[in-house]
Amino acid sequence: MTVVTHPSPTSTLVQLTDLHLVADGDDPPGGVDTAAVLEEALRALEEAAIRPAALVLTGDLTEHGRPAEYRRLRGIVEPAAARLGAALVYVAGNHDDRAPLREHLLDAAPSAHPLDHVVRVGDLRIVVLDSTVPGRAHGELRPAQLAWLRAELAGPAPGGTVLALHHPPLPSAAPLAASIPLLRRDELAAAVAGTDVRLVLAGHTHVVSAGTLGGVPVWTGGPIAGAFDPLAPGAALRTLATPTASRVDLFPDALITTSVPVGARRLVEVPEATMEPELAAFRAAWAAPIG
């Protein structure tokens, strides 16, 4: 009898989105202490067995785009990433300000230009697009950005590509998010169709959701800040304290994205030594003859 085993992922990423961090001592946005929630998420990640190749922060890193907010974020995230051995990938959101983001988070010269860049972790390429429109809440990509993206994607990466941006190229079930969408998402769909892009990661909507763009899966991660309730009546806004992180596992021929609650109450915990024989029995049953 052949025992079939599940392959390990070739790359694991962790997405954190919509942090809306404020400076120490300022009132937290929506009544959620997002700095504390972020720290809890990072502690849980450090306690886990996985070691992600990168932490991908998909926008609205801060509430006001102020220097002190970026310095506080840096002080929380950089030490954790160093302990994990993970690269940090920052994406600008509509609450962010490109110039202080570059100066106080990236140690780069302040600039108002879109924060488009590429990060390579092993064989995987992470392409970051800045979908923000300064002074506006909706998203848009300039023709020059799409031309840059097409040129970058003209050559495939050995492990494929993950595209990260703040505004998801999808409709939204939340009325507020639907009113500030990514415009002309069909142009982005044309740019990624037929390329090695395996997944698009986004945030912005404060609702966990999934869809496709040009045949490519799209994952909108849940926020560290308050989540929007998509079952609120009509145009009403209802927020929920249900923070999540997203785990992304990439396999040679597949991928899976998993929403991970932050601070959830544990009901049952069975140790690995007890569970592994049970799991082995399930795996062995895959190859067992029926009848």
Side-chain angles (χ1 to χ4, degrees):
M1 179 179 65
T2 301
V3 177
V4 182
T5 59
H6 195 69
S8 298
T10 53
S11 295
T12 296
L13 308 176
V14 170
Q15 180 199 18
L16 299 160
T17 194
D18 296 276
L19 316 179
H20 290 273
L21 229 67
V22 296
D24 193 13
D26 287 354
D27 292 335
V32 177
D33 186 349
T34 55
V37 175
L38 175 61
E39 289 172 335
E40 185 172 4
L42 292 170
R43 279 195 303 272
L45 184 56
E46 290 189 60
E47 292 169 1
I50 66 166
R51 285 295 176 261
L55 305 180
V56 185
L57 283 67
T58 49
D60 281 355
L61 308 174
T62 65
E63 179 68 3
H64 307 103
R66 296 170 182 163
E69 295 172 336
Y70 291 114
R71 289 194 294 267
R72 188 182 192 194
L73 172 61
R74 187 173 188 173
I76 294 172
V77 175
E78 282 190 357
R83 290 190 295 269
L84 288 165
L88 277 169
V89 181
Y90 292 113
V91 181
N94 54 282
H95 277 251
D96 291 306
D97 188 321
R98 294 168 179 167
L101 190 162
R102 280 186 165 94
E103 182 176 4
H104 296 279
L105 195 58
L106 305 178
D107 284 336
S111 167
H113 290 297
L115 188 66
D116 302 329
H117 60 288
V118 176
V119 177
R120 293 180 182 268
V121 286
D123 289 338
L124 182 69
R125 173 173 56 185
I126 304 173
V127 176
V128 175
L129 277 179
D130 187 343
S131 59
T132 65
V133 180
R136 306 291 179 91
H138 71 273
E140 192 170 351
L141 297 171
R142 300 177 182 178
Q145 291 179 278
L146 292 167
W148 172 82
L149 176 64
R150 288 192 292 268
E152 177 63 35
L153 297 179
T161 296
V162 170
L163 176 63
L165 73 168
H166 182 61
H167 297 82
L170 296 172
S172 177
L176 176 55
S179 70
I180 47 176
L182 180 70
L183 302 184
R184 299 189 300 280
R185 60 180 183 264
D186 58 315
E187 296 176 4
L188 181 58
V192 303
T195 69
D196 74 337
V197 174
R198 303 182 62 188
L199 177 68
V200 178
L201 286 176
H204 183 58
T205 65
H206 289 235
V207 178
V208 179
S209 55
T212 58
L213 175 79
V216 178
V218 177
W219 176 260
T220 306
I224 292 296
F228 294 164
D229 183 354
L231 296 180
L237 176 65
R238 182 189 295 150
T239 61
L240 308 170
T242 55
T244 58
S246 296
R247 172 177 171 168
V248 180
D249 291 302
L250 297 153
F251 300 86
D253 58 353
L255 64 85
I256 183 169
T257 53
T258 306
S259 184
V260 183
V262 176
R265 183 167 62 96
R266 295 181 182 178
L267 300 177
V268 174
E269 187 162 357
V270 182
E272 180 179 8
T274 302
M275 283 300 301
E276 185 52 45
E278 299 288 337
L279 302 181
F282 283 126
R283 291 191 294 264
W286 297 352
I290 298 175

